[in-house]
């Protein structure tokens, strides 16, 4: 090596999206206990330890700062511009997850975080560091992803009326969808199977069929992609 | 901070895919001058300097080690498992690019690299570190990407017969495609426009139309995605 290596520190950050039928899409934030950005809300995360993988570091930090455990984590992007942290050069490998937020009743903050809380993505506080940009990148990735991958397995009840899946997509996309086309595409993909149950409609209308995911087909579509044209 | 921070070093690596009509798809490799993995072929890359962005680091390393400049770079994935480098904990942010390899006549190696060379992706040497895994990830990403984004603008001639675009997709995917469906999808997407020129066919057959990309539509599809169903 001809010159001394730059002193760059490595962190991970987690964008955990929560979904519930009632509250829509939220993101898990922690309030910082220390400077810089003391008392600001931020994405959970922290420094990677010497002998843990990046994903293990995310899981550890999430557990320490918020008390939650997530099944599926996906690496999003690495943010590394000089100056993104006022302390020194720090690069952060961001990961995202999507969970059913109504199943996590109890958030608990520890260590470097003062407080942990779900915020609806429509009404976010001002975030520390470049976390607004990281969160925006995660929202865009999540929205792009659900156009060509099935979603909902861990977010909906085991059996559900079709309107629950519509509501999920509308909430995640943050906009209306072409319902007729969506239903044609989803049902045509074979990712759902009908049960013999019907849901009672409130007020008028026929009772609506109850569906469940076809697990095998769901996995195939996860792997090979699909176009829901939404 | 309660404990001392882990000493983790940060590198970038570049997966530069080259395409030429004659040679198909190749990847740019450099031969290592120093231990570890002395004399092995590896992806170009190296340590990030204190005041450069990750992308600037990739461009600098590419220029130093191979003499080439690329227009478009995309961050691929960050590889950070403990033990991936025998020296110490090193994480690497991999980036990939796709260039017309016939336009780079002159590769020149400098600094840490002994030699720089294009290798057809069908006949690769044994690679240093976890670079085989990084390269495989890049190939998969590139193949997934061209299913929902147009490609070819910088890889084909300005005007070309449709068969050149087919050949490009077949080479990048490494497999046959459904030509009738592909042509229907591509022409239906509006990404190509006809010229008044025809190419002479070798031997039998009608002369075939010459196309060019519609730049505006190409950019739209890059942004919004498309499904070529290939």
């Amino acid at each position: 090596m001809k010159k001394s290596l730059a002193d760059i520190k490595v962190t991970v950050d987690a964008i955990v999206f929560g979904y519930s039928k009632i509250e829509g899409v939220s993101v898990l934030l922690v309030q910082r206990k220390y400077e810089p950005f003391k008392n600001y809300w931020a994405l959970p995360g922290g420094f990677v330890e010497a002998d843990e993988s990046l994903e293990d570091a995310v899981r550890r930090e999430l557990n320490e700062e918020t008390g939650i455990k997530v099944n599926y984590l996906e690496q999003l992007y690495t943010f590394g511009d000089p100056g993104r942290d006022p302390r020194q050069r720090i690069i952060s490998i961001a990961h995202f997850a999507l969970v059913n937020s109504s199943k996590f009743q109890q958030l608990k903050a520890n260590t470097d975080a003062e407080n942990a809380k779900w915020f609806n993505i429509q009404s976010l506080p001002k975030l520390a560091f470049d976390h607004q940009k990281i969160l925006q990148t995660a929202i865009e990735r999540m929205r792009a992803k659900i156009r060509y991958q099935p979603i909902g397995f861990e977010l909906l009840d085991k059996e559900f009326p079709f309107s629950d899946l519509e509501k999920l997509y509308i909430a995640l996309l943050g906009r209306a969808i072409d319902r007729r086309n969506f239903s044609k595409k989803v049902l045509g993909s074979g990712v759902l199977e009908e049960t013999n149950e019907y849901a009672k409609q409130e007020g008028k209308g026929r009772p609506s069929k109850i569906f469940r995911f076809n697990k095998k087909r769901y996995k195939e579509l996860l792997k090979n992609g699909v176009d829901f044209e939404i």
Side-chain angles (χ1 to χ4, degrees), chain A:
Chain A
M1 229 51 58
K2 280 149 302 169
K3 44 192 157 187
S4 68
L5 293 182
D7 182 26
I8 301 178
K9 298 300 179 200
V10 178
T11 61
V12 286
D13 286 307
I15 304 95
V16 181
F17 293 114
Y19 174 75
S20 86
K21 235 195 302 187
I22 295 153
E23 316 207 340
V25 185
S26 48
V27 64
L28 184 57
L29 299 177
V30 295
Q31 195 167 23
R32 290 180 57 82
K33 219 186 238 179
Y34 305 112
E35 295 291 354
F37 293 100
K38 187 177 169 181
N39 296 329
Y40 274 66
W41 291 90
L43 298 168
F47 291 98
V48 176
E49 293 181 1
D51 53 1
E52 65 187 353
S53 72
L54 303 175
E55 200 174 304
D56 287 345
V58 181
R59 293 183 192 281
R60 177 184 50 71
E61 287 286 347
L62 270 179
N63 190 41
E64 285 175 11
E65 295 195 343
T66 72
I68 83 160
K69 287 181 169 57
V70 297
N71 275 333
Y72 174 75
L73 267 179
E74 180 170 324
Q75 198 189 96
L76 172 67
Y77 198 80
T78 296
F79 295 83
D81 281 347
R84 58 175 293 280
D85 192 300
R87 289 168 288 188
Q88 71 157 107
R89 181 79 185 270
I90 295 181
I91 71 159
S92 185
I93 301 112
H95 290 68
F96 80 100
L98 191 48
V99 301
N100 185 324
S101 54
S102 63
K103 285 184 188 160
F104 294 99
Q105 292 90 355
Q106 197 91 46
L107 294 176
K108 53 179 201 293
N110 285 309
T111 64
D112 299 346
E114 181 70 49
N115 205 352
K117 209 173 132 184
W118 293 104
F119 285 82
N120 192 292
I121 60 168
Q122 311 291 346
S123 57
L124 293 167
K126 196 160 186 240
L127 301 184
F129 306 106
D130 56 354
H131 288 190
Q132 176 61 42
K133 182 180 163 193
I134 297 179
L135 177 57
Q136 198 53 44
T137 305
I139 291 172
E140 281 162 24
R141 172 78 67 90
M142 179 264 286
R143 287 180 176 166
K145 195 180 160 71
I146 65 175
R147 290 176 58 187
Y148 60 88
Q149 282 198 343
I151 203 160
F153 205 85
E154 290 174 336
L155 303 179
L156 299 180
D157 297 332
K158 210 175 152 195
E159 305 197 332
F160 50 86
F162 194 81
S163 58
D164 275 11
L165 188 63
E166 276 179 355
K167 273 180 207 154
L168 170 66
Y169 269 85
I170 290 167
L172 292 177
L173 291 168
R175 62 167 169 83
I177 60 177
D178 177 338
R179 294 175 60 192
R180 177 196 285 257
N181 195 44
F182 178 69
S183 131
K184 202 177 94 186
K185 283 282 172 175
V186 171
L187 296 175
S189 76
V191 75
L192 295 185
E193 52 195 30
E194 291 182 16
T195 67
N196 296 319
E197 311 286 310
Y198 285 82
K200 284 190 194 114
Q201 298 272 46
E202 288 156 31
K204 64 188 163 52
R206 290 175 300 168
S208 55
K209 276 182 207 156
I210 296 288
F211 293 87
R212 68 168 83 87
F213 285 109
N214 177 316
K215 207 164 177 176
K216 184 160 166 273
R217 185 67 181 141
Y218 190 97
K219 278 187 186 166
E220 273 173 23
L221 295 182
L222 267 188
K223 190 162 170 272
N224 300 326
V226 60
D227 183 14
F228 288 132
E229 274 184 27
I230 38 177

